[in-house]
Amino acid sequence: MIDAKRRTLLKGSLGVSAIGVAVAAGLLTPGTVLANWPKAAFAATDTDAALKDLLGSASTENSDQVKIKAPDIAENGAVVPVTVESDVEGAKSIAIIASGNGTPLIASFDLGADAVPFVSTRIKMAKTADVVAVVQTESGLLSAAKPVKVTIGGCGG
Amino acid sequence: MAGNIKIRAKTSNGVTTVKSLMSHEMETGLRKDKTTGEPIPAHFIQEVTAKWKDQVVMTAFWSGGVSKNPYLSFKFNGGEKGEAIEITWVDNQGQSETGTAEIS
């Protein structure tokens, strides 16, 4: 009896799970949140266009207030650890760009009021290129770049 | 749709450091199946929201350029032991997952 019920429950939940999750995601996350995903910026095929779409401007200023940490040589381009840190006041967002990728913009992080301008993640790199970090502040865009030599590309198959 | 979100949050000197590991294939949509030559459809996390005490501390927008099984670390000012951190991701196929952890 109990077993039979459990069966139905399992069956039911398995069948619906994929759709259920999709619906739940659609219902639970406000439409505006996903609409925020900067589609054009991620589709842009060069760094300047991506920055213009993402931040409204591509004029960045090299700054030692932006620190980017990445390996000198990445043996596997599919997994390149990148850490971006800044001590600038009022940082609003951080963007990570792999300038040699077909679509260079990897990620953009919007910082909340309490956030410290620090993010660390792992990215894919198609080939040897600069990894660029752009920090958005009240007064403009600050950037730093770090060349990373990639021995095996991480995009495409 | 697999796994969960592993989160570790630690507070020290008034700053909380959060480290998280998500389980996701992160397909760019550019790769081809090696045996059939068919393109593998894009499937990657587009948005990650991190909350502390129901307040958003960071929203991340990602492309398929973030590595498979993404690692994400960030920091914020404040945070006490025992307070909750919540991380939610939504991918381009509308799937989503949420994980929580207590600050230690």
Side-chain angles (χ1 to χ4, degrees):
Chain A
M1 186 60 179
I2 296 167
D3 225 37
K5 249 189 202 162
R6 207 177 66 140
R7 264 304 110 105
T8 351
L9 186 69
L10 270 174
K11 238 197 208 152
S13 58
L14 272 179
V16 202
S17 70
I19 306 160
V21 166
V23 170
L27 288 178
L28 294 177
T29 50
T32 50
V33 172
L34 266 185
N36 279 342
W37 193 72
K39 197 176 171 190
F42 280 123
T45 52
D46 68 86
T47 304
D48 279 7
L51 283 176
K52 240 176 229 158
D53 276 321
L54 184 70
L55 304 164
S57 160
S59 62
T60 58
E61 188 190 329
N62 265 322
S63 167
D64 55 10
Q65 283 188 296
V66 178
K67 287 180 186 66
I68 181 163
K69 209 168 87 185
D72 295 327
I73 298 173
E75 274 175 34
N76 182 358
V79 187
V80 183
V82 175
T83 301
V84 180
E85 210 170 346
S86 176
D87 51 9
V88 71
E89 287 287 316
K92 289 197 284 190
S93 78
I94 296 174
I96 297 176
I97 292 155
S99 54
N101 284 16
T103 49
L105 181 61
I106 302 283
S108 168
F109 301 87
D110 284 358
L111 304 172
D114 296 309
V116 173
F118 167 96
V119 286
S120 181
T121 186
R122 299 194 284 232
I123 68 168
K124 299 174 193 166
M125 289 181 73
K127 58 180 184 195
T128 299
D130 279 359
V131 177
V132 181
V134 177
V135 176
Q136 186 190 21
T137 70
E138 295 288 338
S139 51
L141 305 175
L142 303 177
S143 73
K146 166 87 174 69
V148 175
K149 186 172 189 284
V150 177
T151 23
I152 309 168
C155 296
Chain B
M1 196 60 222
N4 48 6
I5 308 179
K6 281 187 198 141
I7 306 170
R8 215 161 270 171
K10 231 180 173 135
T11 181
S12 154
N13 297 326
V15 175
T16 301
T17 304
V18 183
K19 292 179 181 173
S20 63
L21 208 50
M22 290 155 241
S23 182
H24 203 285
E25 57 185 335
M26 299 300 284
E27 273 299 342
T28 55
L30 303 172
R31 292 198 316 147
K32 286 199 170 97
D33 188 304
K34 281 197 177 105
T35 46
T36 63
E38 292 289 314
I40 303 171
H43 189 199
F44 56 89
I45 295 175
Q46 281 189 309
E47 192 173 313
V48 184
T49 312
K51 284 184 187 169
W52 161 54
K53 294 197 297 188
D54 290 327
Q55 178 189 340
V56 175
V57 282
M58 195 209 62
T59 309
F61 301 106
W62 286 355
S63 71
V66 173
S67 300
K68 183 178 173 177
N69 297 332
Y71 166 79
L72 171 65
S73 174
F74 59 92
K75 297 179 182 180
F76 62 88
N77 292 310
E80 299 282 336
K81 274 184 188 165
E83 286 176 347
I85 299 289
E86 184 187 289
I87 295 179
T88 302
W89 59 250
V90 181
D91 70 23
N92 67 322
Q93 297 184 1
Q95 297 172 345
S96 103
E97 206 162 294
T98 299
T100 55
E102 277 183 9
I103 298 173
S104 65

